[in-house]
């Protein structure tokens, strides 16, 4: 299935928005946020500080009387510049975000949008990394693909097992706080992956410009499911 066909397939799974956050939060309480390098207001914020970035995000949410700020698919960001996990002399800088971030309070329940099985999980402890992460396998109409949930709480993976089944809408985890989530304000990184390759409990959530063609095809816009 080509990248275009796969995106079309994802879009037809549901005509209604699928949920990955606490289902009691109405869609009217979601507000988009721009964390790209082109946001001049963000350029005045010390984004190397999780508390100051958190203040920026929370002020944006409060200003719009919302509960969740979302966005970031294919966004070019400066947030990663302070982490060697994304920047090393041996590799091209990785700064293009491949999932959707949903910014909200820690301990927010995380749901699976579709029936799924635990493919893998891991605590990715690099500075700026996902922290506790779960990857689910889905099989819809004979088409297998994966969803990744990053920046979770440690409790989310403590007793988890590969092969555990979850039904659509069932809680799979809770959001982690700054102390475990890679040093970010609390948020969910949600990503769709067509081919998981050889990864377990991890998959690149940020890529370089040179690799964007591959990852854009392998990691389509999560809004195809979330309808944000």
């Amino acid at each position: 299935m080509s990248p275009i066909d796969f995106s079309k397939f994802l879009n037809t799974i549901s005509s209604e928005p699928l949920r990955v956050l606490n289902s009691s939060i109405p869609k009217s309480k979601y507000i988009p946020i721009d964390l790209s390098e082109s946001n001049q207001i963000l350029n005045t914020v010390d984004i190397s500080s999780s508390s100051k970035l958190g203040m920026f995000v929370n002020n944006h949410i409060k200003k719009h009387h919302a509960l969740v700020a979302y966005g970031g698919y294919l966004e070019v960001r400066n947030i990663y510049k302070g982490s060697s996990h994304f920047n090393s002399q041996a590799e091209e800088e990785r700064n293009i975000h491949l999932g959707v971030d949903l910014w909200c309070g820690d301990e927010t329940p995380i749901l699976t949008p579709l029936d799924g099985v635990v493919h893998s999980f891991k605590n990715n402890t690099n500075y700026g990394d996902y922290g506790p992460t779960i990857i689910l396998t889905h099989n819809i109409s004979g088409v297998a693909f994966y969803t990744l949930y990053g920046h979770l709480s440690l409790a989310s993976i403590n007793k988890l097992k590969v092969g555990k089944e979850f039904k659509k809408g069932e809680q799979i985890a809770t959001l982690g706080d700054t102390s475990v989530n890679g040093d970010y304000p609390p948020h969910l990184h949600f990503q769709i992956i067509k081919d998981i390759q050889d990864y377990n409990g991890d998959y690149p959530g940020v890529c370089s410009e040179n690799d964007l063609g591959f990852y854009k095809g392998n990691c389509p816009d999560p809004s195809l499911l979330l309808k944000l």
Side-chain angles (χ1 to χ4, degrees):
M1 184 179 291
S2 72
I4 294 176
D5 290 342
F6 183 53
S7 293
K8 287 182 177 179
F9 165 74
L10 292 172
N11 196 45
T12 61
I13 288 176
S14 175
S15 59
E16 297 296 320
L18 298 178
R19 298 295 195 116
V20 290
L21 294 185
N22 187 343
S23 57
S24 68
I25 304 173
K27 192 177 179 183
S28 61
K29 291 296 183 179
Y30 285 66
I31 187 72
I33 190 169
D34 178 6
L35 297 179
S36 72
E37 63 178 7
S38 60
N39 184 343
Q40 296 303 314
I41 297 175
L42 185 62
N43 288 338
T44 66
V45 177
D46 179 8
I47 55 177
S48 66
S49 165
S50 59
S51 62
K52 291 179 180 178
L53 178 60
M55 287 177 60
F56 175 83
V57 172
N58 289 333
N59 287 339
H60 180 80
I61 290 172
K62 290 177 182 177
K63 177 182 177 181
H64 294 278
H65 307 288
L67 294 174
V68 178
Y70 70 87
Y73 181 64
L74 300 189
E75 203 167 61
V76 180
R77 294 175 167 178
N78 288 328
I79 294 172
Y80 312 111
K81 287 187 179 298
S83 172
S84 60
H85 181 58
F86 301 103
N87 297 277
S88 70
Q89 294 181 347
E91 298 179 350
E92 183 187 8
E93 179 182 7
R94 294 193 292 138
N95 61 357
I96 303 173
H97 191 249
L98 298 171
V100 161
D101 285 335
L102 299 114
W103 304 83
C104 52
D106 62 283
E107 296 301 319
T108 296
I110 305 303
L111 318 178
T112 174
L114 299 162
D115 292 353
V117 177
V118 176
H119 168 272
S120 53
F121 57 93
K122 181 182 176 185
N123 187 9
N124 298 286
T125 57
N126 292 303
Y127 176 72
D129 210 337
Y130 291 128
T133 307
I134 297 173
I135 297 175
L136 299 183
T137 304
H138 309 279
N139 195 310
I140 308 295
S141 302
V143 178
F145 61 96
Y146 307 84
T147 52
L148 181 150
Y149 308 79
H151 309 298
L152 306 175
S153 66
L154 283 171
S156 299
I157 62 172
N158 275 347
K159 296 182 180 180
L160 197 61
K161 293 183 178 180
V162 170
K164 180 177 174 61
E165 297 181 3
F166 288 101
K167 294 298 183 182
K168 174 183 175 181
E170 189 175 352
Q171 181 175 338
I172 63 170
T174 57
L175 273 190
D177 62 21
T178 299
S179 68
V180 298
N181 74 356
D183 195 39
Y184 294 102
H187 71 288
L188 175 70
H189 174 98
F190 176 67
Q191 186 168 333
I192 300 172
I193 304 164
K194 181 181 177 184
D195 178 5
I196 199 69
Q197 300 169 275
D198 294 324
Y199 286 91
N200 276 280
D202 189 18
Y203 192 83
V206 181
C207 76
S208 67
E209 185 176 1
N210 279 345
D211 291 335
L212 180 58
F214 168 77
Y215 284 111
K216 186 176 179 180
N218 201 45
C219 301
D221 189 348
S223 288
L224 294 168
L225 295 181
L226 304 183
K227 314 292 186 188
L228 294 172

